Amino acid sequence: MKKILKIVLMQPNFQLLGKRSWKLIPYGLCLLKSCCNDEFDVTVYDPNFDNESVDEIKRYLLKLKPDVVGLTSFSTEYIDEIYYHVRFIKEIMPNVKIVLGGVLPTVWIEKVIECKDIDYFVLGEGEITFKKLLQGIATSNDRIIEKIMGVSFHKNNHNIINERPNFIDNLDAIPFPDYSDLDFNKYGNYKHKFSHTLISRKTPYALSVTSRGCPMQCTFCAASTVSGKKVRLRSAKNVLDEIELLRNIYGIKEIIFLDDHFLFDRQRAFDIMHGIMERYPDMTWKCVNVAVFSLDRALLSKMMESGCNQITLSIESGDSDVLKHLIKKPVNLVKAKQIAHMAKGMGFEVISNFVIGTPGETWVQIRNTIKYAEELNIDMCNFHIATPLPKTELMKICIDHGLLKSEEDVAGYTVGAINTPDFTGLELQILRAFEWDRINFITLNKVHKIAKLQGIKEDEVNEWRKQTRRNLGNTHLTMKK
């Protein structure tokens, strides 16, 4: 007899151990609810938004008495937070089944499967796999569970890691996220700080993912491991229908696309923008990341005309040899500079991301990146220290060359973990913090602009700069919200 399971899909409170966290609606969990709600009693729970205490989380779970708690993880940075939640959930509900999905098990299953308090792990996309797992749990049929691709678990003191299934090709077949358990307007009207990509010009805003996968092979990035090398696209009609639903139910006035490669299909991008202009002429939108090599004047003009107000260019390096041989990203630096100047002249807010400290990079090449960023003369430049992540080429290079002993040696996302004959991690932190300060705040006008971009007041800008210099850019120390 199949049991109707009670499921809690939970975004952990990533702030419990003192780290930074973003107050974002749990988009992926709401997708899972839509996929599973026809067979199971599914509730989405987000203690992260209101920074709920351990006691508050315990009380909520004890009140609902779920059969299964599904935890999401969107970064390897929060592995300790995941373990912390698992421990206290099992303390109060020893018989509950805990399932971990998201980035952590997808890129680092051999590490997280060591946690015996987690019953099941879902690798890769969960819309189909998680539902199959719930069906197996509901029928108490271990044989079914053992055969599900993308599910890992413990059996007889052994770790069983099943092969991942193929990626979902037809993204239009996935239902839209179900936000009914959440106060959508609380998220849509939230004023983020220190994160220009998430600060909307209009509220309420919504998030959307219109494609999955990235064909680029950047050495520092795990996107192809998480979502595949092939770009899979939702149709323009499907995207516009989601926007219409969000407009009708929640009255959204802006949408932020979280895609790795929103502009991959040029015609689709034009169709989406034309639809926004035709249906919602008062609406604004933006992408968290834009491939600079996809842009030209025609595309920028249509983006501006359809309500896009900001572009973030991931140029990554100001040295062509580093781009070609070390980062492996096909960026033409001459064209990138032209695009940045063109966009700024058209009225876009223009931001760019750069990565310094890739093994093999010389100090001169790092300085070339700083010089190039300064010459761009855009609204803001962000500098990131190359951070080796599990299942990236950068991690393999670091281990193969003895720069790191294992995947567990990375200290954090804003701390230099690599020392080479050309630089130390400390040197990178010092350079990053002080050049970020010098380039971005060189005039009072730029100070005003960045205050607007980051959703903060000018006195907060001054304190942010001071703490960034003194803590050498460690965001856990400088960006307490």
Side-chain angles (χ1 to χ4, degrees):
M1 175 69 71
K2 183 176 178 181
K3 177 183 177 184
I4 302 298
L5 296 180
K6 181 177 286 189
I7 318 296
V8 170
L9 298 176
M10 177 174 158
Q11 177 159 269
N13 181 2
F14 296 109
Q15 303 160 87
L16 283 180
L17 300 183
K19 286 186 180 176
R20 64 176 177 174
S21 182
W22 311 115
K23 297 182 183 297
L24 300 175
I25 202 160
Y27 183 89
L29 295 183
C30 294
L31 274 179
L32 287 184
K33 177 180 172 73
S34 291
C35 293
C36 301
N37 218 27
D38 59 333
E39 292 188 35
F40 304 100
D41 181 1
V42 183
T43 301
V44 176
Y45 172 45
D46 178 20
N48 182 71
F49 188 91
D50 290 319
N51 194 16
E52 294 182 29
S53 67
V54 172
D55 286 342
E56 288 174 308
I57 297 171
K58 286 180 177 180
R59 282 197 295 271
Y60 181 90
L61 293 176
L62 287 171
K63 181 180 178 181
L64 258 67
K65 298 178 181 176
D67 302 295
V68 177
V69 173
L71 296 175
T72 187
S73 60
F74 57 79
S75 170
T76 56
E77 181 179 9
Y78 297 104
I79 186 169
D80 290 336
E81 285 72 14
I82 294 295
Y83 290 164
Y84 184 60
H85 282 74
V86 169
R87 283 195 300 270
F88 72 68
I89 291 171
K90 281 291 189 177
E91 284 175 4
I92 60 167
M93 309 180 79
N95 295 321
V96 74
K97 299 296 185 184
I98 295 182
V99 182
L100 178 64
V103 170
L104 255 175
T106 300
V107 304
W108 212 3
I109 183 58
E110 65 275 13
K111 172 63 179 178
V112 293
I113 203 169
E114 295 173 1
C115 180
K116 304 305 180 184
D117 284 331
I118 302 176
D119 298 280
Y120 301 102
F121 305 81
V122 173
L123 284 65
E125 296 170 322
E127 288 86 0
I128 296 174
T129 304
F130 183 65
K131 188 171 186 177
K132 288 182 178 179
L133 174 59
L134 294 181
Q135 290 167 343
I137 295 173
T139 55
S140 302
N141 194 327
D142 290 340
R143 290 185 179 182
I144 290 178
I145 295 172
E146 290 172 9
K147 295 178 182 179
I148 300 173
M149 296 180 70
V151 169
S152 296
F153 51 92
H154 316 284
K155 181 181 180 182
N156 299 329
N157 296 318
H158 290 88
N159 298 329
I160 309 299
I161 301 176
N162 286 342
E163 183 181 350
R164 285 175 60 177
N166 293 330
F167 291 104
I168 301 170
D169 274 327
N170 184 10
L171 298 184
D172 282 3
I174 300 174
F176 299 142
D178 183 341
Y179 301 114
S180 59
D181 295 321
L182 305 172
D183 181 352
F184 184 91
N185 284 324
K186 185 169 66 173
Y187 296 88
N189 291 295
Y190 182 74
K191 300 294 185 181
H192 292 273
K193 291 185 177 183
F194 305 106
S195 182
H196 55 83
T197 56
L198 300 175
I199 296 172
S200 60
R201 184 167 289 186
K202 296 181 179 179
T203 56
Y205 79 95
L207 304 176
S208 182
V209 180
T210 77
S211 64
R212 298 180 184 181
C214 181
M216 300 299 105
Q217 297 299 300
C218 301
T219 55
F220 58 80
C221 185
S224 60
T225 299
V226 174
S227 55
K229 297 176 183 178
K230 176 187 174 183
V231 178
R232 295 159 292 134
L233 304 164
R234 292 168 55 192
S235 66
K237 179 182 182 304
N238 184 262
V239 174
L240 292 168
D241 286 348
E242 181 187 18
I243 294 173
E244 183 165 340
L245 184 71
L246 291 165
R247 293 270 294 191
N248 290 339
I249 297 177
Y250 303 110
I252 68 160
K253 298 178 181 177
E254 179 163 326
I255 191 145
I256 300 175
F257 298 117
L258 302 179
D259 303 42
D260 286 317
H261 216 331
F262 179 77
L263 302 176
F264 179 78
D265 184 317
R266 184 181 179 89
Q267 187 57 54
R268 186 193 80 124
F270 272 106
D271 289 344
I272 291 172
M273 290 186 284
H274 179 74
I276 290 174
M277 291 169 58
E278 191 175 66
R279 298 193 202 182
Y280 327 110
D282 61 331
M283 192 166 164
T284 52
W285 67 275
K286 62 181 173 180
C287 305
V288 296
N289 177 44
V290 177
V292 66
F293 44 80
S294 298
L295 294 171
D296 55 27
R297 183 175 293 278
L299 195 50
L300 284 170
S301 296
K302 181 60 71 171
M303 291 169 71
M304 174 62 70
E305 187 182 3
S306 61
C308 182
N309 52 68
Q310 181 186 103
I311 59 171
T312 299
L313 308 172
S314 291
I315 298 174
E316 314 301 12
S317 177
D319 186 279
S320 57
D321 284 337
V322 171
L323 281 168
K324 183 176 181 180
H325 300 294
L326 300 181
I327 292 179
K328 301 182 180 179
K329 187 164 190 172
V331 173
N332 181 310
L333 290 174
V334 174
K335 180 186 177 184
K337 187 176 288 187
Q338 293 170 346
I339 291 295
H341 290 170
M342 185 188 301
K344 197 164 180 352
M346 295 170 72
F348 285 96
E349 297 171 343
V350 183
I351 302 98
S352 185
N353 293 316
F354 295 93
V355 177
I356 60 173
T358 302
E361 191 173 13
T362 68
W363 192 253
V364 170
Q365 290 172 321
I366 292 171
R367 296 298 311 183
N368 287 344
T369 291
I370 301 297
K371 183 173 183 290
Y372 181 88
E374 183 175 11
E375 290 173 349
L376 281 181
N377 191 30
I378 54 178
D379 295 306
M380 188 170 187
C381 292
N382 296 314
F383 300 100
H384 307 276
I385 296 175
T387 302
L389 301 175
K391 303 303 176 291
T392 61
E393 185 178 348
L394 178 58
M395 176 62 81
K396 185 177 185 303
I397 290 170
C398 288
I399 293 175
D400 289 349
H401 288 78
L403 302 174
L404 296 173
K405 292 181 180 179
S406 74
E407 292 184 330
E408 298 183 40
D409 283 351
V410 178
Y413 286 62
T414 56
V415 179
I418 307 169
N419 296 313
T420 77
D422 292 282
F423 55 79
T424 67
L426 179 59
E427 287 173 331
L428 293 177
Q429 287 179 240
I430 293 170
L431 181 73
R432 171 181 180 257
F434 281 84
E435 290 290 28
W436 170 85
D437 183 84
R438 181 182 67 83
I439 291 171
N440 286 317
F441 304 99
I442 195 167
T443 67
L444 189 59
N445 184 54
K446 292 203 75 172
V447 172
H448 295 328
K449 186 71 175 182
I450 289 177
K452 178 184 176 184
L453 278 174
Q454 300 292 355
I456 55 179
K457 299 176 182 177
E458 286 184 34
D459 60 335
E460 291 177 294
V461 171
N462 294 330
E463 183 63 21
W464 180 32
R465 293 175 62 189
K466 181 173 70 176
Q467 293 302 323
T468 297
R469 296 191 304 268
R470 293 179 181 179
N471 296 316
L472 299 183
N474 189 333
T475 54
H476 298 320
L477 301 175
T478 62
M479 294 170 62
K480 299 295 185 184
K481 302 179 190 55

